[in-house]
Amino acid sequence: MKLLTNIYQVGGPSLTHFFDATVTLLKGKDGWFLIDCGTPEGYEQVKENIRKAGVEPSQIKFILGTHGHYDHVGAAHLWKEEFGCRLFLHALDREQVEAGDSVKTSAALLYGTQSVPCLVDGLIAEGDAWEGEGFTVEALYTPGHTMGSVSFEVTAGDYRLLIAGDAVWGGFSEKIGSSEEAWRETLDKITSRHYDFYTFGHVNPQLIADADERLKEAKMAFGNYYNPWFKTFFETYRY
Ligand SMILES: [Fe+2]
């Protein structure tokens, strides 16, 4: 599903396996890359969706992980084994992924399965940038859901897009590395910036417009992150 020129959503609960977080395919100046890659359960369908976008999975050079959870980077070891892709993550989520810590990666807690240990090839820090064909991507450090959570700001012409991972509308649990204090600061940080569109970790293929207002609502709804399924949120929230 094309989101913007050279940017596609190729994974997510309505596109691949229902375990999968949003997977975004982007055309970098030095080759194609992914932001998050979903779970092993959705791996084959993610590859199929990449082909539908006219790209061969073997063209994927690297994966930028928003954070070290199973639904976001659980399939990274498969991408490394089959295609030699490199995985990049923030330093504070590295250990749990490399150790295959199935509690901290949420694999056991939320998905009834185990994480496969996966080496991280490089680290992501605030301000790191990647040149795309017609856009730039910049990392924004957005801890709270986990302490190694990052979001990505995409600037494409006049458009400012935030790819937020689980930094908005994610679930809060100390077992999977959440911190309320850090998360509240992150929501202040995100809402102090300007975006035309945003997308996040568990969403249908879409760019959510009126982003500044919608992100303010996401901040106001922080209490629901403690139990994101408590309400029928599709009736209540406007994302
Ligand atoms: Fe997560």
Side-chain angles (χ1 to χ4, degrees), residues 3 5-10 23-29 31-36 55 59-62 64 130-133 135-137 152 154 161 163:
L3 299 177
T5 303
N6 292 327
I7 303 176
Y8 300 81
Q9 184 170 336
V10 292
V23 181
T24 311
L25 169 71
L26 305 98
K27 188 176 191 183
K29 278 251 163 37
W32 291 88
F33 62 98
L34 299 176
I35 292 179
D36 287 339
V55 179
Q59 293 176 266
I60 308 296
K61 303 284 187 218
F62 59 91
L64 304 177
W130 297 265
E131 279 295 320
E133 291 286 352
F135 58 89
T136 58
V137 178
F152 296 96
V154 178
L161 162 67
I163 298 176

Side-chain angles (χ1 to χ4, degrees), residues 178-195:
S178 304
S179 158
E180 176 170 350
E181 193 183 354
W183 207 337
R184 287 192 184 280
E185 284 178 15
T186 280
L187 291 168
D188 286 344
K189 181 178 183 176
I190 285 173
T191 53
S192 72
R193 302 166 82 89
H194 167 65
Y195 304 103

Side-chain angles (χ1 to χ4, degrees), residues 29-146:
K29 278 251 163 37
D30 302 317
W32 291 88
F33 62 98
L34 299 176
I35 292 179
D36 287 339
C37 63
T39 63
E41 286 81 356
Y43 179 61
E44 291 301 326
Q45 190 59 51
V46 167
K47 288 194 291 183
E48 194 51 42
N49 289 349
I50 290 171
R51 288 188 197 100
K52 279 185 198 161
V55 179
E56 277 304 309
S58 58
Q59 293 176 266
I60 308 296
K61 303 284 187 218
F62 59 91
I63 300 158
L64 304 177
T66 57
H67 62 292
H69 279 169
Y70 181 76
D71 46 330
H72 295 258
V73 295
H77 68 284
L78 298 174
W79 283 100
K80 286 166 72 93
E81 282 163 22
E82 189 168 358
F83 301 112
C85 298
R86 289 166 296 146
L87 172 64
F88 294 86
L89 268 187
H90 189 276
L92 294 180
D93 277 11
R94 176 185 196 161
E95 194 177 317
Q96 67 204 48
V97 170
E98 293 198 326
D101 182 331
S102 294
V103 175
K104 278 198 177 158
T105 62
S106 78
L109 190 72
L110 297 179
Y111 302 99
T113 188
Q114 301 293 311
S115 286
V116 174
C118 180
L119 282 182
V120 173
D121 302 287
L123 299 178
I124 300 173
E126 168 119 352
D128 286 352
W130 297 265
E131 279 295 320
E133 291 286 352
F135 58 89
T136 58
V137 178
E138 191 167 327
L140 188 71
Y141 182 44
T142 52
H145 175 66
T146 69

Side-chain angles (χ1 to χ4, degrees), residues 209-227:
D210 194 22
D212 290 343
E213 288 305 312
R214 303 299 173 94
L215 287 164
K216 277 184 206 155
E217 291 173 4
K219 175 180 158 181
M220 293 293 288
F222 181 71
N224 289 91
Y225 294 12
Y226 282 89
N227 187 346

